[in-house]
Amino acid sequence: MEDYTVTVATGTSEYSGTNNYIFLTLVGEKGESERTLLDNPGLDFCRGAADKYKVTSPSPLGSLLLVRLEKQRYWVEDNWFCRYVTVEHLGGDTVVFPCYRWLIGNVNVEIRQGKAKTLRDESIAQLLAHRRTELQERQKIYRWQTWAPGVPRCIDAKTEADLPQDSRFENEKRSDFEHSLQYALLELSLKKLVIMFGKSWSDLDDFKHIFWKLRSPIAEYCMEHWKEDWFFGYQCLNGSNPRMIQRCNKLPENFPVTSDMVQRSMAPRTNMEKELKEGNIYLLDYAILDGIPTNTIKDKPQYIAAPLCLLYQHPDNGLIPIAIQLEQTPGLNTPIFLPRDPPLAWLLAKIWVRHAEFQVFQVLSHLLRTHLVIEVFCVATLRQLPAVHPIYKLLAPHLRYTLEINTRGRSQLISADGIFKRVVSTGGDGVLILAQREFKMLTYRSLQPYNDFSDRGVSQLPDYFYREHSLMLWEAIHSFVSGMVSLYYQSDHDVTEDTELQAWIGDITQKGMAELPSFGLPNKLSTREELSNLLAVVIFTSTVQHAATNNGQVLALPHLMFDWCSWVPNTPCTMRQPPPTEKSAATMEMIMASLPDVSQSCLQMAITWHLGRAQPDAIPLGRYTEEHFTEAQAVELISGFRTELEKIEANILSQNDGLELQYLFLLPSRIENSITI
């Protein structure tokens, strides 16, 4: 008889344990062990436990191939989450079999040992068959669906309840997500404000009423400085949508700003033409909003604009706005607003730009360019890569919770009766049309930060902390990923011959991105460099880029979305009056009648807090709580990645030391390892 010591680890989240029967069988090259009921004195498979058992075999098993786990119901069904199984034989090496999945119902599951293997590394027929069976089963569970034409395809699930348990929130996360909004609304004392619902504020200071408890230092700083031009410019660089700004080499034909108009904003002994040549003029162009259908809230029409905003990098005052046109077509009814105009006219023009910013960053920079894009990679990974594949092991931690948060977003946030419909000016048909417009223009190149900054002409723009920190993190991610790729692919030929990998990229381009042939991602991966770059894009987008536009972070503060949007006049979710057609029309009464009313403002503040708050089970970038890789070289690369992130953390903290307004949103410790909110 051959004796094996087996350790079975149960998950650490609530309700991970089970009182059902668990059987285990070891499968080796030379046969199978006895089917063993795992039953120690006392309680087995408690939450967070690692229980040891003795498993015997009538003869030597040879090299272990699989561990077969069987769960059978005892009285009542009790799901079980298995983290891993380890097996030790006669004092030899311990073999780790990662699992990290739920066992639901009366079920048999076979798991592989932790060493990552591509298809070319497999020679045993039983393991080859196991790969095929695993993918066949997954492809039945994870199916593509066209949620709407003209946007990335998604998982086939109408609500989160349709998702497999392995793609669902853990119980702590689910409870927090479902109760946090109610908490926010309570904190805002909506019961006390109920008599004011549907009414406007009477003065800008009235917005302070909803700053009672839900606040942050940056949100308070925003409240104090939001009217100032330098602060407007700062947000273009380091606010909630820092990738909108572009260098202006030549004024757009539909934006007839003259040198005389902006001369007062220029530094001494210069003019606009000279500054254009020297690369100090920048542009925000919201043409994508032109003609987007607007929402109707409580039977009242809402409004949007499609502004153009010219900015100047002043040698003393930093980046400042110098001209704003609120529509794309110039004319008598489309004045160009200037800093020298009456203060309320200039303030109202900036509010309209910030309102356009809300629509673009929420729907395009955040929803489309991070959530929906990453969902394509998530579905393809689950459908085409077995758990033993190194690329699956690499990506799995960065795809955690993405399917559920996206499914909830489609059913609760941007649906016909969702939150956007209740409070956002593009809610309803506008959200989808806006996303469709952006998707037509989306390119793989624009998801790569060096290319993005270069193409926008902002590589030398000073005080662009988002750019500086993004590039540091991109370099660390790309280096880490390249090391992993080199470890498992010895040559470019290994990449081209990996049929599972090629099926993965094919699923992405021909299924997930099927309606975007101009995306720019090839249907086949030919080199290790191509693969490394793509994997870096996936990890960067699901971590750094998402944090830059949302940042539901590990620590309580700061929350990027909440910081910039909770002071409602700074980034209003909707506007209740049309854009002014003449400067003299801008009065305080008009501003207050245009900004969100009490109900809309409270809901905006509650939603931005809800979507930007700290998560109860957040995992920071580079922390891999599920140990999919077990071989020493891979573990060493992960350790090196974490060391590099610690250096970046120290560097960012050093850069921010002494700054009145700190940019800490891309501290690695405050970036989640996946899109979870």
Side-chain angles (χ1 to χ4, degrees):
M1 299 291 288
E2 299 287 326
D3 292 336
Y4 296 83
T5 301
V6 173
T7 301
V8 181
T10 296
T12 57
S13 65
E14 287 184 340
Y15 309 119
S16 292
T18 186
N19 60 11
N20 284 187
Y21 294 118
I22 303 295
F23 297 88
L24 184 144
T25 305
L26 301 177
V27 181
E29 287 183 296
K30 298 179 181 180
E32 298 185 0
S33 72
E34 296 177 350
R35 177 176 178 266
T36 305
L37 173 64
L38 304 182
D39 186 18
N40 287 330
L43 294 175
D44 296 286
F45 311 112
C46 294
R47 172 185 177 183
D51 302 304
K52 287 190 175 183
Y53 305 92
K54 178 181 178 182
V55 176
T56 61
S57 173
S59 60
L61 299 176
S63 297
L64 292 178
L65 305 179
L66 301 164
V67 169
R68 183 181 302 127
L69 295 169
E70 303 175 56
K71 187 175 80 69
Q72 291 186 2
R73 177 176 174 176
Y74 173 74
W75 290 107
V76 295
E77 173 58 39
D78 193 11
N79 299 338
W80 177 49
F81 187 87
C82 177
R83 285 187 289 156
Y84 60 81
V85 176
T86 65
V87 183
E88 184 179 357
H89 180 222
L90 297 176
D93 292 337
T94 299
V95 183
V96 181
F97 292 78
C99 184
Y100 301 111
R101 58 186 294 187
W102 286 94
L103 278 68
I104 300 172
N106 295 330
V107 65
N108 293 358
V109 171
E110 291 183 340
I111 55 176
R112 297 275 305 262
Q113 65 167 283
K115 184 178 181 180
K117 288 188 176 183
T118 60
L119 193 57
R120 69 178 172 82
D121 299 322
E122 298 282 26
S123 58
I124 300 173
Q126 189 172 1
L127 295 182
L128 287 166
H130 183 269
R131 294 178 87 108
R132 290 192 298 270
T133 300
E134 179 184 2
L135 292 180
Q136 288 168 358
E137 291 175 352
R138 290 233 219 103
Q139 287 166 13
K140 293 176 183 177
I141 297 171
Y142 297 98
R143 302 172 304 276
W144 289 108
Q145 172 184 264
T146 300
W147 165 58
V151 295
R153 297 186 77 193
C154 63
I155 188 67
D156 184 7
K158 291 183 179 179
T159 72
E160 65 275 8
D162 298 327
L163 292 170
Q165 186 63 39
D166 288 326
S167 296
R168 296 293 310 277
F169 291 167
E170 300 291 358
N171 188 68
E172 297 93 330
K173 165 82 171 179
R174 186 179 305 117
S175 297
D176 174 81
F177 187 89
E178 293 174 351
H179 293 112
S180 64
L181 180 57
Q182 285 76 13
Y183 166 77
L185 294 173
L186 180 63
E187 283 293 300
L188 288 166
S189 302
L190 285 184
K191 292 181 180 179
K192 295 180 180 179
L193 296 173
V194 68
I195 60 172
M196 299 175 62
F197 271 19
K199 299 180 181 179
S200 296
W201 308 96
S202 60
D203 186 85
L204 287 170
D205 283 345
D206 287 346
F207 286 96
K208 294 178 181 178
H209 295 325
I210 57 174
F211 255 55
W212 177 42
K213 284 189 178 180
L214 296 182
R215 59 177 64 192
S216 75
I218 292 182
E220 293 187 9
Y221 191 94
C222 180
M223 179 181 67
E224 297 296 329
H225 297 279
W226 71 284
K227 296 180 183 179
E228 299 169 26
D229 286 353
W230 76 267
F231 190 71
F232 180 99
Y234 178 90
Q235 290 183 88
C236 297
L237 301 177
N238 304 306
S240 54
N241 188 31
R243 58 168 312 279
M244 189 75 184
I245 189 169
Q246 58 182 303
R247 179 176 170 178
C248 183
N249 297 312
K250 180 182 177 182
L251 287 179
E253 293 183 0
N254 63 333
F255 195 14
V257 180
T258 66
S259 185
D260 289 343
M261 286 181 180
V262 299
Q263 187 58 44
R264 290 189 188 179
S265 298
M266 297 288 114
R269 295 179 295 280
T270 190
N271 56 49
M272 185 174 69
E273 287 73 16
K274 182 178 179 181
E275 296 300 330
L276 279 167
K277 292 178 182 179
E278 295 187 358
N280 292 323
I281 303 296
Y282 294 87
L283 180 69
L284 301 175
D285 187 352
Y286 297 90
I288 197 167
L289 291 170
D290 194 26
I292 292 291
T294 55
N295 197 2
T296 298
I297 301 175
K298 296 181 181 178
D299 299 322
K300 296 179 181 179
Q302 308 296 297
Y303 298 89
I304 60 173
L308 294 124
C309 177
L310 207 62
L311 299 110
Y312 168 47
Q313 181 60 41
H314 194 286
D316 300 320
N317 302 330
L319 186 69
I320 55 173
I322 58 174
I324 294 172
Q325 179 179 293
L326 296 182
E327 300 292 356
Q328 290 290 307
T329 303
L332 293 177
N333 293 326
T334 312
I336 295 177
F337 293 85
L338 305 168
R340 70 188 189 196
D341 290 336
L344 289 182
W346 181 236
L347 178 63
L348 182 57
K350 290 190 293 181
I351 289 173
W352 272 103
V353 175
R354 295 296 302 168
H355 169 250
E357 183 81 335
F358 184 96
Q359 315 308 314
V360 168
F361 98 77
Q362 284 283 14
V363 180
L364 307 183
S365 299
H366 181 211
L367 174 65
L368 176 65
R369 297 181 65 94
T370 62
H371 281 257
L372 300 187
V373 166
I374 289 302
E375 184 170 0
V376 170
F377 290 92
C378 184
V379 174
T381 300
L382 291 165
R383 285 172 50 82
Q384 303 297 344
L385 299 178
V388 74
H389 198 288
I391 304 307
Y392 178 92
K393 290 174 177 284
L394 179 64
L395 291 182
H398 302 289
L399 306 176
R400 172 179 178 255
Y401 290 166
T402 299
L403 293 184
E404 174 152 354
I405 193 62
N406 282 10
T407 302
R408 284 180 178 267
R410 282 186 288 270
S411 63
Q412 301 171 15
L413 188 67
I414 57 175
S415 59
D417 57 351
I419 293 172
F420 264 50
K421 180 62 179 172
R422 295 171 56 191
V423 73
V424 179
S425 58
T426 52
D429 295 339
V431 171
L432 179 57
I433 295 173
L434 187 55
Q436 289 169 331
R437 286 187 182 182
E438 176 75 0
F439 189 54
K440 288 180 180 178
M441 301 183 291
L442 180 66
T443 64
Y444 175 52
R445 178 180 174 85
S446 70
L447 299 177
Q448 302 169 58
Y450 274 106
N451 292 334
D452 175 52
F453 294 126
S454 175
D455 292 347
R456 291 192 287 117
V458 294
S459 297
Q460 304 302 318
L461 191 53
D463 299 326
Y464 200 0
F465 305 124
Y466 158 72
R467 181 198 63 220
E468 296 173 20
H469 300 174
S470 292
L471 293 179
M472 285 192 288
L473 290 161
W474 167 263
E475 290 288 353
I477 291 169
H478 194 278
S479 176
F480 165 59
V481 166
S482 297
M484 282 292 191
V485 169
S486 296
L487 182 60
Y488 295 103
Y489 294 91
Q490 305 305 308
S491 66
D492 293 341
H493 179 75
D494 291 341
V495 173
T496 60
E497 293 302 307
D498 187 343
T499 55
E500 291 172 337
L501 184 69
Q502 299 302 338
W504 174 73
I505 189 65
D507 223 22
I508 292 165
T509 58
Q510 298 169 33
K511 297 288 182 67
M513 297 289 189
E515 296 196 45
L516 188 61
S518 61
F519 183 56
L521 187 62
N523 294 331
K524 184 176 181 179
L525 293 168
S526 301
T527 67
R528 294 191 296 175
E529 183 179 356
E530 282 182 355
L531 175 57
S532 297
N533 202 61
L534 176 57
L535 295 172
V537 166
V538 175
I539 295 175
F540 179 87
T541 303
S542 63
T543 58
V544 180
Q545 192 57 50
H546 181 253
T549 56
N550 182 83
N551 219 343
Q553 297 171 50
V554 177
L555 299 183
L557 292 171
H559 300 163
L560 188 147
M561 186 186 297
F562 180 75
D563 285 337
W564 305 119
C565 300
S566 59
W567 178 247
V568 175
N570 182 60
T571 318
C573 59
T574 192
M575 295 290 270
R576 296 178 296 125
Q577 297 292 326
T581 56
E582 54 184 40
K583 299 179 182 182
S584 61
T587 63
M588 182 56 69
E589 290 74 20
M590 183 181 191
I591 291 175
M592 300 311 299
S594 299
L595 287 169
D597 63 24
V598 176
S599 174
Q600 294 164 341
S601 299
C602 289
L603 191 53
Q604 173 178 329
M605 191 174 186
I607 292 302
T608 54
W609 178 83
H610 173 65
L611 296 177
R613 75 203 184 287
Q615 299 301 294
D617 59 349
I619 300 172
L621 177 61
R623 304 286 174 173
Y624 298 102
T625 57
E626 293 184 352
E627 298 177 355
H628 292 277
F629 288 103
T630 59
E631 50 269 53
Q633 288 175 291
V635 172
E636 185 177 343
L637 285 170
I638 292 171
S639 177
F641 180 43
R642 290 173 58 177
T643 298
E644 188 60 30
L645 292 175
E646 290 170 0
K647 293 178 182 178
I648 292 173
E649 179 108 359
N651 193 351
I652 291 174
L653 289 172
S654 177
Q655 287 181 7
N656 279 273
D657 188 34
L659 292 181
E660 182 180 12
L661 186 57
Q662 297 186 333
Y663 187 81
L664 302 175
F665 300 110
L666 294 184
L667 279 172
S669 63
R670 297 179 179 178
I671 298 172
E672 276 209 71
N673 219 18
S674 61
I675 296 176
T676 71
I677 192 69

